[in-house]
């Protein structure tokens, strides 16, 4: 993707970007245009909080960086799947519409399967599944037509020289070729229009923040913008330094704040990647930055284009010819995210069907036991520190309910009803969260969502555990690895929340569908241990 550099209309000298200054307004206007900064319809406007470390300029820019992105691996995978279905579907259609074709035989099926494999290979070689090609019109159609024709030309040569496929109906072959070519070209017209739309709306780009300013950042930006078909969109610069080594404008991009502001900015905007542009020989400073940044659900890369690598071997990647060290990858992304969502929908639906009688009985028991609503709603931390509202069966007296979790539930707590004690011990009170899973705010398996004001010893848990918010790099779950290992119920000591977070981070770093299945299978058995549940 072309990535035109953001440049102010008039040359500017480095100076503070003060809110309300002519320079600040000019930079905001041009920068928002560069990142296509219109607030997506339906998005909630981002407003500064009383203790926000972001400037009004940075918050306004973040408003233009909302919405969901399109995963390139998922897009290319779906296009491949569409090609396969079109080839197979047109083969069947040709067999039953061609007058001389007598249905599909074993030879037809073999040739169809072979055609799928060779078509995918030829299309791959022709870069048909590359996004830069998908955004081209006639060039994309020409490559598709040439690849499909090459498959039939190869079969024609084999049929003439070896006699392979000589029994196949020529009418079927001709009809299949024409139908499939038409279908493939029409599908590519749709792909072309969709890709162009996603590009113009900013959904098909990787949004990056440069960490660190000065000359190194300027050289990196120039190198990135020199790459052909670059899909990186630079959204600003953050740096703790405020001296002449880190001016307020670098290569036309504004510095939006310090590292603390960066964490808050990345929570508000859709950012895909952090590029740390600090000399690798400054290992201490780099490690201090990474300690603050690794809690974010984004890719983190160290720019290695101006320095020799002095760290231990890590995964390396390139954007064009610019080298990077991959420090942290966004967890459960692309096809993993699709697989996990399908897993959630299938098993959550099955669980709701199987446990529906239990939920009906629990609802009736809650209603008969005490006055008040059957369901209890509570705000908790979700993915990327978003505030979500989860459902539970009410287990406390209505007038003693604590939706803000200002006081933890203890053994023999007088606020808990008779039915409440039973459904809390057996975790039946959590079953309505299966509907949260269907809605997408929760996953079936993941770190348990904690209440926003959860605390121990008068300290919120993010103050108790260093790196606590790293557990929010994925969606929270109805059950999780911490609960399987016995860390459920009351959290009355710092060690208990520390162990929970350690289990959550382990889960995030080792996630797989099989791991989710293991946790799901063990959950009913581990719930028999009700020692800390009350």
């Amino acid at each position: 993707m072309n990535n035109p550099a953001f440049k102010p209309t008039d040359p500017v000298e480095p100076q503070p970007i003060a809110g309300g200054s002519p320079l600040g307004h000019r930079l905001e206007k041009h920068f928002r245009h560069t990142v296509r900064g219109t607030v997506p319809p339906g998005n909630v406007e981002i407003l500064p909080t009383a203790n926000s470390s972001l400037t009004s300029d940075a918050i306004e820019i973040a408003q233009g960086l909302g919405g969901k992105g399109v995963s390139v691996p998922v897009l290319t995978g779906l296009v491949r799947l569409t090609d396969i279905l079109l080839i197979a579907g047109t083969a069947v259609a040709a067999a039953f519409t061609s007058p001389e074709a007598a249905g599909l035989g074993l030879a037809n099926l073999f040739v169809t399967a072979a055609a799928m494999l060779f078509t995918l290979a030829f299309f791959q070689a022709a870069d048909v599944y590359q996004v830069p090609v998908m955004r081209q019109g006639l060039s994309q159609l020409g490559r598709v037509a040439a690849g499909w024709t090459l498959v039939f030309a190869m079969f024609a040569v084999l049929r003439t020289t070896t006699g392979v496929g000589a029994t196949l109906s020529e009418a079927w072959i001709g009809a299949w070729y024409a139908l499939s070519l038409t279908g493939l070209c029409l599908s590519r017209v749709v792909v072309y229009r969709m890709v162009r739309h996603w590009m113009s709306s900013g959904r098909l780009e990787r949004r990056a923040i440069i960490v660190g300013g000065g000359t190194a950042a300027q050289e990196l930006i120039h190198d990135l913008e020199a790459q052909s078909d670059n899909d990186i969109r630079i959204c600003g610069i953050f740096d703790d330094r405020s001296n002449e080594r880190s001016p307020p404008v670098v290569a036309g991009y504004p510095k939006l704040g310090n590292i603390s502001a960066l964490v808050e900015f990345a929570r508000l905007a859709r950012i895909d990647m952090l590029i740390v542009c600090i000399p690798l020989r400054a290992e201490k400073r780099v490690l201090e930055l990474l300690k603050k940044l690794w809690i974010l659900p984004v890719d983190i890369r160290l720019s290695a284009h101006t320095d020799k690598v002095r760290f231990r071997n890590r995964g390396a990647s390139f954007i064009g010819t610019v080298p990077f060290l991959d420090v942290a990858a966004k967890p459960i992304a692309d096809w993993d995210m699709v697989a996990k969502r399908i897993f959630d929908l299938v098993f959550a639906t099955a669980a709701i069907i199987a446990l529906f009688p239990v939920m009906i009985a629990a609802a009736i028991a809650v209603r008969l036991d005490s006055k008040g609503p059957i369901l209890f709603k509570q705000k908790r931390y979700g993915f990327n520190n978003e505030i979500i509202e989860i459902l539970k069966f009410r287990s406390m007296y209505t007038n003693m309910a604590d939706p803000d979790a200002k006081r933890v539930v203890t053994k023999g707590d007088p606020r808990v009803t008779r039915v409440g004690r039973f459904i809390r011990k057996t975790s039946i009170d959590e079953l309505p969260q299966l509907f949260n899973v269907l809605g997408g705010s929760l996953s079936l398996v993941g770190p348990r969502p904690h209440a926003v004001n959860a605390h121990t010893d008068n300290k919120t848990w993010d103050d108790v555990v260093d790196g606590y918010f790293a557990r929010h790099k994925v969606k929270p779950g109805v059950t999780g690895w911490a609960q399987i290992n016995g860390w459920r119920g009351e959290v009355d000591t710092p060690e208990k929340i520390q162990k929970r977070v350690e289990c959550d981070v382990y889960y995030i770093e080792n996630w797989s569908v099989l791991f989710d299945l293991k946790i799901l299978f063990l959950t009913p058995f581990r719930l028999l241990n009700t020692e800390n549940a009350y």
Side-chain angles (χ1 to χ4, degrees):
M1 179 186 294
N2 253 340
N3 188 20
F6 157 73
K7 296 293 180 184
T9 304
D10 305 314
V12 295
E13 296 295 327
Q15 53 184 290
I17 306 177
S21 69
L23 173 62
H25 288 303
R26 190 162 68 250
L27 284 173
E28 288 180 40
K29 179 181 178 181
H30 285 273
F31 184 70
R32 289 198 301 275
H33 173 73
T34 302
V35 296
R36 305 177 178 97
T38 56
V39 181
N43 277 18
V44 178
E45 183 179 4
I46 301 170
L47 297 176
T49 58
N51 58 352
S52 174
S53 58
L54 289 174
T55 64
S56 58
D57 298 335
I59 291 175
E60 190 170 353
I61 289 173
Q63 288 181 329
L65 297 172
K68 294 184 178 181
V70 176
S71 167
V72 172
V74 173
L75 170 63
T76 56
L78 291 176
V79 173
R80 285 186 177 91
L81 178 61
T82 301
D83 290 344
I84 291 174
L85 294 177
L86 280 171
I87 293 171
T90 53
V92 174
F96 292 99
T97 58
S98 176
E100 299 180 16
L104 283 177
L106 187 60
N108 303 77
L109 295 176
F110 175 79
V111 170
T112 302
M116 291 179 188
L117 295 176
F118 282 110
T119 301
L120 292 178
F122 290 160
F123 282 5
Q124 183 70 33
D127 291 333
V128 170
Y129 299 116
Q130 299 295 322
V131 172
V133 174
M134 290 181 188
R135 76 177 190 216
Q136 300 172 8
L138 293 177
S139 175
Q140 180 180 189
L141 293 178
R143 295 182 190 218
V144 168
W148 183 238
T149 301
L150 186 59
V151 171
F152 275 75
M154 183 185 66
F155 279 131
V157 171
L158 287 174
R159 189 180 188 189
T160 302
T161 57
T162 65
V164 174
T167 59
L168 294 176
S169 167
E170 292 185 358
W172 174 72
I173 295 175
W176 181 29
Y177 172 80
L179 287 173
S180 194
L181 179 61
T182 302
L184 290 170
C185 289
L186 288 176
S187 72
R188 290 298 169 150
V189 171
V190 175
V191 169
Y192 164 76
R193 295 181 66 87
M194 292 174 65
V195 168
R196 299 285 291 188
H197 171 70
W198 288 332
M199 288 177 59
S200 64
S201 62
R203 294 186 62 189
L204 199 56
E205 64 187 13
R206 287 184 292 173
R207 294 174 176 176
I209 290 293
I210 304 293
V211 183
T215 304
Q218 182 175 351
E219 292 177 359
L220 173 63
I221 291 171
H222 289 160
D223 287 346
L224 286 175
E225 292 175 344
Q227 307 302 313
S228 60
D229 299 322
N230 180 19
D231 67 341
I232 297 295
R233 177 74 60 178
I234 299 173
C235 299
I237 298 171
F238 287 82
D239 195 355
D240 276 336
R241 299 174 300 176
S242 58
N243 50 31
E244 65 279 358
R245 292 186 300 168
S246 181
V249 180
V250 179
Y253 292 87
K255 188 170 76 172
L256 301 179
N258 57 22
I259 303 304
S260 297
L262 165 58
V263 174
E264 186 175 352
F265 185 89
R267 299 289 192 199
L268 300 178
R270 178 178 71 80
I271 300 299
D272 303 299
M273 181 187 304
L274 301 180
I275 300 177
V276 180
C277 186
I278 295 173
L280 300 183
R281 59 182 177 273
E283 296 184 18
K284 182 177 179 181
R285 185 181 173 210
V286 170
L287 291 175
E288 289 175 352
L289 284 174
L290 296 180
K291 185 178 179 181
K292 297 179 181 179
L293 299 176
W294 77 282
I295 64 175
L296 294 171
V298 298
D299 293 332
I300 301 178
R301 298 187 180 181
L302 297 181
S303 171
H305 78 300
T306 59
D307 209 338
K308 293 182 179 180
V309 178
R310 299 179 60 183
F311 288 86
R312 62 185 177 88
N313 290 334
R314 294 180 181 269
S317 61
F318 287 82
I319 299 175
T321 59
V322 182
F324 294 88
L325 292 178
D326 299 339
V327 176
K330 184 177 181 179
I332 315 181
D334 302 326
W335 281 110
D336 287 344
M337 180 173 61
V338 174
K340 188 167 178 62
R341 183 59 180 156
I342 293 173
F343 179 95
D344 287 344
L345 292 174
V346 170
F347 284 94
T349 301
I352 289 174
I353 295 173
L355 298 172
F356 192 71
V358 177
M359 287 192 277
I360 292 296
I364 294 173
V366 170
R367 171 67 74 184
L368 295 177
D369 185 52
S370 61
K371 295 180 180 179
I374 294 173
L375 294 178
F376 173 73
K377 299 178 181 180
Q378 188 176 57
K379 295 187 182 299
R380 299 195 177 188
Y381 279 121
F383 170 72
N384 198 24
N385 274 31
E386 294 176 355
I387 305 301
I388 62 174
E389 193 172 65
I390 69 162
L391 302 174
K392 298 180 67 175
F393 284 123
R394 180 175 57 84
S395 59
M396 294 185 180
Y397 293 103
T398 304
N399 62 335
M400 298 182 182
D402 184 16
D404 296 328
K406 294 180 179 179
R407 176 183 164 193
V408 298
V409 178
T410 57
K411 189 173 183 178
D413 199 313
R415 298 175 297 168
V416 180
T417 65
R418 290 174 300 171
V419 169
R421 290 191 178 89
F422 176 76
I423 62 176
R424 290 178 70 92
K425 274 187 172 292
T426 56
S427 292
I428 291 175
D429 64 323
E430 310 282 0
L431 291 182
Q433 291 168 32
L434 293 171
F435 293 99
N436 286 111
V437 174
L438 295 183
S441 58
L442 288 184
S443 182
L444 202 56
V445 181
R448 284 290 297 147
H450 291 163
V452 174
N453 296 311
H455 59 276
T456 298
D457 293 340
N458 295 320
K459 291 183 179 180
T460 56
W461 286 347
D462 57 302
D463 290 329
V464 175
V465 181
D466 189 23
Y468 169 80
F469 286 124
R471 67 191 303 276
H472 300 155
K473 294 166 73 172
V474 299
K475 281 185 185 179
V478 178
T479 184
W481 187 237
Q483 286 64 43
I484 293 303
N485 286 277
W487 301 108
R488 60 188 288 252
E490 182 183 3
V491 181
D492 52 357
T493 64
E495 288 76 19
K496 287 184 178 180
I497 185 58
Q498 177 72 43
K499 290 296 184 181
R500 283 193 182 190
V501 173
E502 288 176 2
C503 288
D504 293 337
V505 172
Y506 177 85
Y507 168 80
I508 293 171
E509 294 178 347
N510 295 275
W511 175 86
S512 70
V513 172
L514 291 178
F515 196 13
D516 274 3
L517 279 172
K518 176 181 178 180
I519 294 173
L520 205 59
F521 174 77
L522 291 175
T523 294
F525 301 99
R526 299 301 169 87
L527 289 179
L528 297 176
N529 179 12
T530 62
E531 180 182 355
N532 296 317
Y534 33 82

